[in-house]
Amino acid sequence: MTTLTARPATDLDTLTGAVRTAIARGADWQDTADRVAGALREHLPSPGELLRPDQLTGEPGTSSGHVLHVEPDGSFSMMAIVWQPGAATRVHDHVTWCVFGVLAGAEHEDLYTLSDDGTALTEAGANPNPAGAVNGFAPPGDIHRVRNLGNTTAVSLHIYGTDLDRVGSSARRFYDLPIQD
């Protein structure tokens, strides 16, 4: 994780205000994620509004996160993630609700459920998320892996319902379990 990226006032400020409004309604996590996803759909920025050109580079198979905003009260954080071709997360779930929007390229999301006895994962679906796709989810039932299967860089904006500076990561658990069909 990097430090806050210096930038002039942009449409990200408008998005931040819209996220504050969505969160202020005091709903449960899934409803909050749905409301924040609506705000992101309405104010989806471009990668150039968020990141400098040098922040879009990297080695194949790597990703880099750039914290863009942490709300002073810790209620949410925004992070741009740059996914080079072949980059992938480990299978994980989250500490709180999460919303993401794909700004460039495409992200492939593999979805899983935990077996009843907790010893394996079951494939629950896959989402090809092209540029412009926005989605939100909340625990429980948020076990997934994100990959860049393309041959171009992908960029996404993630909004998490926590203070990333305080907790360090949005991931709650990593799953190194066998995957069943």
Side-chain angles (χ1 to χ4, degrees), residues 54-139:
D54 64 295
Q55 293 175 310
L56 298 171
T57 62
E59 296 298 315
T62 65
S63 63
S64 57
H66 306 276
V67 176
L68 302 171
H69 177 81
V70 176
E71 189 68 1
D73 68 1
S75 60
F76 70 95
S77 300
M78 295 182 180
M79 173 184 276
I81 302 179
V82 179
W83 309 85
Q84 299 304 327
T89 66
R90 293 171 57 194
V91 177
H92 65 281
D93 62 8
H94 292 271
V95 297
T96 186
W97 59 265
C98 174
V99 170
F100 68 89
V102 180
L103 309 179
E107 291 180 4
H108 181 85
E109 182 181 26
D110 300 309
L111 306 169
Y112 303 95
T113 59
L114 190 60
S115 64
D116 290 340
D117 65 3
T119 62
L121 295 172
T122 302
E123 293 179 358
N127 292 324
N129 296 304
V134 174
N135 198 359
F137 53 85

Side-chain angles (χ1 to χ4, degrees), residues 2-181:
T2 61
T3 58
L4 292 173
T5 303
R7 60 174 178 73
T10 66
D11 288 340
L12 187 62
D13 297 318
T14 303
L15 172 60
T16 301
V19 171
R20 283 183 191 123
T21 299
I23 291 171
R25 296 184 182 200
D28 66 31
W29 276 3
Q30 186 59 59
D31 190 47
T32 297
D34 293 342
R35 291 176 190 275
V36 172
L40 183 55
R41 275 186 202 93
E42 188 175 333
H43 302 286
L44 195 64
S46 69
E49 288 181 74
L50 305 179
L51 301 170
R52 301 182 312 265
D54 64 295
Q55 293 175 310
L56 298 171
T57 62
E59 296 298 315
T62 65
S63 63
S64 57
H66 306 276
V67 176
L68 302 171
H69 177 81
V70 176
E71 189 68 1
D73 68 1
S75 60
F76 70 95
S77 300
M78 295 182 180
M79 173 184 276
I81 302 179
V82 179
W83 309 85
Q84 299 304 327
T89 66
R90 293 171 57 194
V91 177
H92 65 281
D93 62 8
H94 292 271
V95 297
T96 186
W97 59 265
C98 174
V99 170
F100 68 89
V102 180
L103 309 179
E107 291 180 4
H108 181 85
E109 182 181 26
D110 300 309
L111 306 169
Y112 303 95
T113 59
L114 190 60
S115 64
D116 290 340
D117 65 3
T119 62
L121 295 172
T122 302
E123 293 179 358
N127 292 324
N129 296 304
V134 174
N135 198 359
F137 53 85
D142 62 324
I143 303 171
H144 70 159
R145 169 180 60 187
V146 179
R147 302 184 284 162
N148 179 354
L149 299 177
N151 55 14
T152 62
T153 300
V155 180
S156 54
L157 175 59
H158 295 241
I159 305 171
Y160 301 105
T162 191
D163 180 340
L164 287 178
D165 283 345
R166 184 180 58 79
V167 299
S169 171
S170 68
R172 178 174 56 156
R173 290 180 293 226
F174 293 100
Y175 296 86
D176 296 316
L177 298 172
I179 298 173
Q180 306 175 44
D181 290 331

